[in-house]
Amino acid sequence: MARYLIVGGVAGGMSAATRLRRLDESAKIIVFERGGYVSYANCGLPYYIGDAITERDRLLVQTPESFKKLFNLEVRTGNEVIAVYPDKKSLRVKDMESGREYDESYDKLLLSPGGSPVKPQIPGSDHPAIHTLWTIPDSDRIRAMVDEGKVKTALVVGAGFIGLEMAENLHARGISVVVVEMAKQAMNVIDFEIAAMVHRELKMKKVGLYLEDGVSKFEKGANDRVVAHLNSGKTVAADLVLLSIGVRPNTGFLTDSGIELGARGHIDVDEYLKTSNEHIYAAGDVIEVVNPFTKKKTAVPLAGPANKQGRIAADNMNGKKLRTYNGTIGTGIAKVFDLAVGMTGATEKFCAAEKIPYHSVIIHPNDYAGYYPGAMKMCLKLVFSPDTRRVLGAQATGYSGVDKRMDVIATAIKGNMTVDDLAEIEHAYAPPYSSAKDPINMAGFAAQNILDGLVKSTSWEYVHKADKSLLFLLDVRTPAEYATGTMPGAVNIPLDNLRERIGEIPKNKTVIIFCRVGLIAYNAARILEAYGITDYFNLSGGYETYQIATAMQDTDGETYSKQTNEGVDIVMTEVKVENSKIVDVNACGLQCPGPVMRLKQEMDNIAAGEAISITASDAGFYSDAASWARSTGNIVRDISIAKGIVKAVIEKGGTAPSPIATAGNDKTIVVFSGDLDKAIASFIIANGALAMGRKVTMFFTFWGLNVLRKPEKMNGLGKNFIEAAFGWMMPRGSKKLSLSKMNMGGLGGMMIRGIMKNKNVPALEEMITAAINGGANIVACQMSLDLMGIRLEELVDGVQIGGVASYLEASEHSDNNLFI
Ligand code: FAD
């Protein structure tokens, strides 16, 4: 009868034990576990503290009794293995309760003792409010403090997986949380710009974040609090501190065993998970695994690999069917508040450090068909080899669908697939689940385009660090998108106008083409190539990635509260620990200016620092919200538009900006009339002002919208009978307009046009084109469009939708405001 002993009764240990039983019914199998629980869900502990998992028993997947009953395993909890004697093939065990020590012999031994959280030698870290989270008793202690209502503020030291999961779960219990991280980013296993999205999520949830900072000492504060002194000189007072700064392998008991350990104390194993001793195997967090890209040894403490290694080790200990473990690529995912953050394989920084040739691309696709309700944007970064075209790694953030994409790409990496394979991955598609071209296909296409020389791409970091005088920053988004913010010095030439305005692109500078996410810019890049402009780069991930990665990453500097430390005032700087209220407002269905009015109304009811999260189905609100916030001294935290629903999160600013003392010299014209002569007058003024170098905004409302209509009839716009009839009765475009006086059944209009031609005055249509090309901001009033049943598609290109706030903001900078 074979005798198997196993050290450690959780992921690796219990997987091996149950597998061994399935392989050998007669074997003697004993598991030693120093803690009081076996096979518990340590990954679920943060969620138990956060009360997402409400029943503690749900964490206890099995018990020693159930293992005995189901698998005839002898599980000895409270028994710590304190030494291994390979020569004698035996162990020394200590019964933790009685203190008795005894030996047990084995034929084969599995070591799966995992790791323990690192407890740094920081002065004062013996304070009872300072915790680590690894075991059930750890979670009991933390949860008890939270349940008692003692914890109002918490400090999490370390922004890795567990630290961030705890930040979320403590926050979910109504606790104000501050996270301090030594590195310049959270989740050091991902690339910076992906981590930047994590930072943004934390900031949006009002979690304080200090990067590139650490705790130098802890002190006792008033009311059992801990006061953490940071390297930067800041102090943070908290009712609870969680240290989450890493894990070290539990190999102390192997010191005199002769079993070989790696540089950082992990057990060295071969591909059969055998240690340097032929009768001893090891699995889980305690071992060093091979990194398949470098073939170097590394440690990847994750539950998936631990479980699978336990099974493989059991097979090899049993010996009937040998299996190899082929390395760990580090596939993982974490939930950081609403954001899923996934990763697999090599990151860009890993490739750079290991000198592995790589290329990368960032895309921001929808998780499923954009037209199906609820589609959400994700960010997906693909790292691939320029030589072999092999997929090296991927990272993604998003609100849904991240896990699926990471899993598929992880499979592709393990299968040595190329970007061409990704482009052809055949996926399950229906609108609620994906798009006909899944984000994975899109990432494959983008990588193919780069490798095939169809487009040259560069990173946000290159642009950020480059000497801007050598670059021409070309923003090819629509004027409306451009107005929401762009890179300093960027020139807006919308894709629609790029061919006509190609001459504006300088030949002596490197052109950085960008749009919001990189796709429109790719089309622009193709146009540039066609016109012989080859010194360009498409900005990977577009303005969105650039903006997030170059924003201030940690919590902005402000004093958030004052705490007393035994009579001494301690000023907390730079972090807001209070959970700022965010009021949800649904303005869907309201027409302009309804959403802005609603925003204003709700904003009046909240305090500075609190925010309104407002959704509106009025597309014009996209620009209105930002304009309104800018001109009223409020702060735009986020604005997005998905499937026609605009979502804006606007924070109430402290004070309204002082009114503009003197207006600028911009010109604003409200074109209300649809009369030919009045339209001509408007565009003459507009083009004249443009020629003088003035910024012009023309706001077309009611009958004025007819000036902008395209001449051709458009079907399939989903109009109802009244809208269609209204559209039919109104003039379709500038050529159908009548004179306000002496129209004479259209004869007057023809005469005017003839006179203009003879006198070399450009026709109205030419004036409209000139104004658009000259940079006039041509805004169609959303409300009038809706009232008159006119669709944006029916208007000439270059028109953006806006509301009254966009117009009013423009008029504040204007010294000439006409109503025609
Ligand atoms: P462990 O699960 O740590 O088990 C080792 C056991 O050995 C311990 O119970 C220990 O008490 C016992 N032991 C140690 N020394 C001795 C000894 N000398 N004698 C007897 N017994 C001993 N991973 C993921 O992939 N996804 C996640 O979401 C995730 N979340 C996590 C959340 C938390 C809070 C924690 C703590 C971990 C999380 N992990 C996660 C990591 C994952 O739990 C580990 O990678 C996995 O449990 C490792 O399994 P293991 O068997 O190697 O070690």
Side-chain angles (χ1 to χ4, degrees):
M1 181 174 72
R3 199 176 158 80
Y4 299 116
L5 300 189
I6 294 171
V7 184
V10 190
M14 293 320 302
S15 292
T18 50
R19 175 74 174 173
L20 277 168
R21 172 57 73 225
R22 291 185 196 104
L23 297 174
D24 185 350
E25 179 60 23
S26 65
K28 176 78 179 168
I29 305 170
I30 308 174
V31 179
F32 301 95
E33 168 54 57
R34 68 180 176 191
Y37 302 89
V38 281
S39 208
Y40 61 90
N42 38 14
C43 307
L45 299 181
Y47 301 97
Y48 172 58
I49 293 167
D51 218 21
I53 298 168
T54 49
E55 294 163 50
R56 184 176 180 276
D57 283 355
R58 301 293 299 270
L59 300 168
L60 308 173
V61 184
Q62 294 285 355
T63 61
E65 294 73 34
S66 66
F67 276 124
K68 179 75 190 164
K69 227 171 170 174
L70 283 169
F71 297 98
N72 190 24
L73 299 176
E74 194 175 328
V75 179
R76 297 185 193 166
T77 52
N79 278 258
E80 181 173 13
V81 174
I82 53 174
V84 177
Y85 309 117
D87 297 345
K88 294 193 279 176
K89 291 176 78 176
S90 72
L91 302 177
R92 169 64 50 89
V93 188
K94 183 176 179 181
D95 182 325
M96 314 272 287
E97 204 178 288
S98 65
R100 181 179 74 94
E101 292 187 9
Y102 62 96
D103 289 354
E104 288 283 0
S105 62
Y106 59 79
D107 293 320
K108 299 283 178 201
L109 170 65
L110 177 75
L111 303 172
S112 189
S116 296
V118 172
K119 290 183 184 153
Q121 297 302 310
I122 301 172
S125 47
D126 56 349
H127 191 295
I130 301 176
H131 296 262
T132 54
L133 177 65
W134 206 257
T135 61
I136 295 270
D138 292 341
S139 66
D140 287 340
R141 279 188 287 273
I142 298 172
R143 191 175 158 131
M145 277 185 80
V146 176
D147 286 350
E148 283 167 31
K150 283 184 182 166
V151 185
K152 301 279 180 263
T153 56
L155 169 67
V156 173
V157 184
F161 283 62
I162 295 174
L164 293 183
E165 285 177 356
M166 279 302 293
E168 177 192 345
N169 281 288
L170 290 169
H171 184 274
R173 300 292 304 270
I175 296 166
S176 300
V177 183
V178 176
V179 178
V180 178
E181 166 59 52
M182 194 72 102
K184 66 172 184 177
Q185 64 168 85
M187 303 178 96
N188 223 359
V189 290
I190 55 178
D191 285 327
F192 182 82
E193 67 279 356
I194 307 297
M197 305 201 192
V198 176
H199 305 161
R200 187 180 63 163
E201 183 73 12
L202 292 173
K203 287 166 86 176
M204 277 169 53
K205 295 293 188 291
K206 284 287 168 195
V207 169
L209 177 65
Y210 290 140
L211 295 168
E212 296 184 83
D213 209 347
V215 179
S216 55
K217 66 172 176 181
F218 291 113
E219 274 180 358
K220 280 188 183 156
N223 305 325
D224 298 333
R225 295 184 123 205
V226 185
V227 177
H229 292 259
L230 306 189
N231 297 333
S232 58
K234 295 167 195 149
T235 51
V236 178
D239 301 308
L240 182 144
V241 175
L242 183 87
L243 297 177
S244 179
I245 57 172
V247 44
R248 54 166 178 74
N250 291 328
T251 47
F253 68 105
L254 300 176
T255 309
D256 299 321
S257 68
I259 294 169
E260 280 177 24
L261 304 181
R264 289 194 295 143
H266 298 84
I267 301 174
D268 188 29
V269 290
D270 66 10
E271 70 267 39
Y272 297 99
L273 301 176
K274 193 158 63 179
T275 67
S276 54
N277 182 285
E278 62 173 322
H279 302 294
I280 305 177
Y281 290 75
D285 287 1
V286 80
I287 67 167
E288 274 190 338
V289 291
V290 172
N291 181 300
F293 301 107
T294 58
K295 308 290 178 215
K296 290 182 190 170
K297 291 286 181 92
T298 182
V300 185
L302 289 173
N307 277 278
K308 288 153 213 167
Q309 289 158 9
R311 185 174 185 272
I312 291 172
D315 283 0
N316 297 337
M317 288 162 76
N318 172 263
K320 289 196 189 94
K321 167 90 181 128
L322 297 188
R323 288 182 205 281
T324 56
Y325 184 71
N326 300 315
T328 307
I329 57 172
T331 306
I333 190 161
K335 179 176 177 298
V336 183
F337 290 83
D338 296 334
L339 196 69
V341 189
M343 69 233 59
T344 182
T347 57
E348 189 170 339
K349 65 180 169 193
F350 174 83
C351 290
E354 293 293 336
K355 302 201 168 32
I356 298 170
Y358 72 92
H359 216 311
S360 72
V361 69
I362 298 174
I363 59 171
H364 296 264
N366 279 331
D367 58 341
Y368 55 77
Y371 56 82
Y372 189 82
M376 306 287 265
K377 224 163 21 148
M378 65 168 67
C379 171
L380 174 58
K381 176 172 183 176
L382 187 72
V383 183
F384 49 96
S385 163
D387 308 326
T388 63
R389 300 172 78 94
R390 267 192 59 192
V391 181
L392 299 176
Q395 299 150 69
T397 59
Y399 298 95
S400 80
V402 166
D403 51 345
K404 173 161 92 168
R405 275 65 190 210
M406 287 301 98
D407 289 347
V408 173
I409 297 179
T411 310
I413 295 170
K414 282 274 192 179
N416 291 332
M417 288 188 184
T418 64
V419 298
D420 308 294
D421 294 317
L422 288 195
E424 285 183 31
I425 287 241
E426 192 182 314
H427 62 290
Y429 161 62
Y433 302 106
S434 177
S435 296
K437 292 173 192 158
D438 188 80
I440 289 175
N441 301 135
M442 298 297 287
F445 299 154
Q448 274 181 328
N449 290 339
I450 293 168
L451 295 180
D452 296 346
L454 280 177
V455 66
K456 288 180 286 185
S457 91
T458 192
S459 68
W460 67 270
E461 201 170 6
Y462 168 82
V463 177
H464 188 51
K465 291 182 178 165
D467 176 353
K468 301 288 184 302
S469 67
L470 304 175
L471 303 180
F472 179 74
L473 302 173
L474 175 59
D475 184 338
V476 292
R477 296 173 298 163
T478 62
E481 290 176 288
Y482 176 76
T484 62
T486 189
M487 282 188 225
V491 175
N492 183 215
I493 306 182
L495 182 72
D496 294 358
N497 309 135
L498 188 56
R499 290 180 180 86
E500 301 95 80
R501 296 177 60 186
I502 202 86
E504 294 175 34
I505 296 172
K507 300 271 183 314
N508 58 347
K509 292 189 174 186
T510 300
V511 185
I512 303 296
I513 316 168
F514 67 96
C515 59
R516 182 146 190 87
V517 296
L519 192 60
I520 304 285
Y522 165 57
N523 291 306
R526 297 301 305 147
I527 294 174
L528 258 60
E529 286 241 1
Y531 281 84
I533 301 170
T534 53
D535 186 10
Y536 75 84
F537 289 104
N538 180 2
L539 177 62
S540 188
Y543 181 59
E544 187 154 323
T545 299
Y546 181 89
Q547 194 184 19
I548 294 170
T550 57
M552 183 169 178
Q553 298 296 314
D554 49 13
T555 319
D556 0 27
E558 37 190 297
T559 299
Y560 73 88
S561 71
K562 268 189 166 189
Q563 310 291 346
T564 53
N565 175 24
E566 281 142 2
V568 184
D569 266 3
I570 299 167
V571 179
M572 307 298 154
T573 50
E574 291 200 18
V575 174
K576 282 185 181 172
V577 291
E578 77 278 8
N579 293 317
S580 147
K581 190 168 83 176
I582 299 185
V583 177
D584 287 322
V585 176
N586 187 347
C588 290
L590 296 181
Q591 295 293 341
C592 173
V596 168
M597 286 168 67
R598 186 74 202 280
L599 178 58
K600 156 92 174 67
Q601 199 183 9
E602 297 290 342
M603 199 58 92
D604 287 345
N605 297 330
I606 63 169
E610 296 177 344
I612 302 287
S613 172
I614 182 167
T615 47
S617 50
D618 170 10
F621 188 61
Y622 188 82
S623 49
D624 274 6
S627 301
W628 182 84
R630 274 196 298 270
S631 50
T632 52
N634 297 301
I635 303 150
V636 180
R637 280 199 205 154
D638 194 29
I639 297 193
S640 59
I641 181 162
K643 229 195 121 264
I645 302 292
V646 179
K647 180 171 181 192
V649 183
I650 315 277
E651 181 182 318
K652 183 154 182 161
T655 48
S658 42
I660 299 165
T662 49
N665 52 17
D666 297 352
K667 314 291 169 206
T668 42
I669 305 172
V670 179
V671 184
F672 173 83
S673 166
D675 294 336
L676 175 64
D677 39 357
K678 291 180 182 170
I680 292 169
S682 328
F683 277 99
I684 288 174
I685 297 167
N687 282 320
L690 287 171
M692 288 168 63
R694 303 289 182 253
K695 206 170 155 192
V696 174
T697 297
M698 301 180 78
F699 187 75
F700 287 81
T701 184
F702 281 92
W703 315 114
L705 287 171
N706 291 323
V707 180
L708 301 176
R709 289 181 78 189
K710 287 177 185 163
E712 62 270 17
K713 194 171 174 190
M714 300 183 101
N715 295 319
L717 295 175
K719 292 192 180 188
N720 60 33
F721 174 74
I722 296 179
E723 286 174 335
F726 213 52
W728 178 75
M729 288 186 292
M730 290 188 305
R732 194 177 293 122
S734 54
K735 289 199 170 144
K736 295 275 167 34
L737 302 179
S738 328
L739 282 180
S740 60
K741 294 203 166 66
M742 297 190 339
N743 189 45
M744 300 175 291
L747 201 63
M750 282 166 64
M751 284 168 64
I752 282 283
R753 284 179 178 274
I755 295 166
M756 285 168 73
K757 194 170 176 194
N758 290 340
K759 299 204 178 248
N760 273 337
V761 178
L764 174 58
E765 295 69 42
E766 290 170 63
M767 284 197 256
I768 295 174
T769 308
I772 292 172
N773 289 348
N777 207 9
I778 309 284
V779 184
C781 168
Q782 172 74 64
M783 184 212 60
S784 305
L785 282 173
D786 289 339
L787 286 184
M788 302 175 80
I790 300 175
R791 304 285 187 263
L792 183 64
E793 296 93 314
E794 290 179 87
L795 304 184
V796 294
D797 295 343
V799 175
Q800 56 166 299
I801 295 183
V804 71
S806 320
Y807 157 69
L808 289 174
E809 192 200 13
S811 73
E812 283 192 344
H813 299 276
S814 165
D815 61 352
N816 192 332
N817 187 20
L818 300 174
F819 188 93
I820 296 178

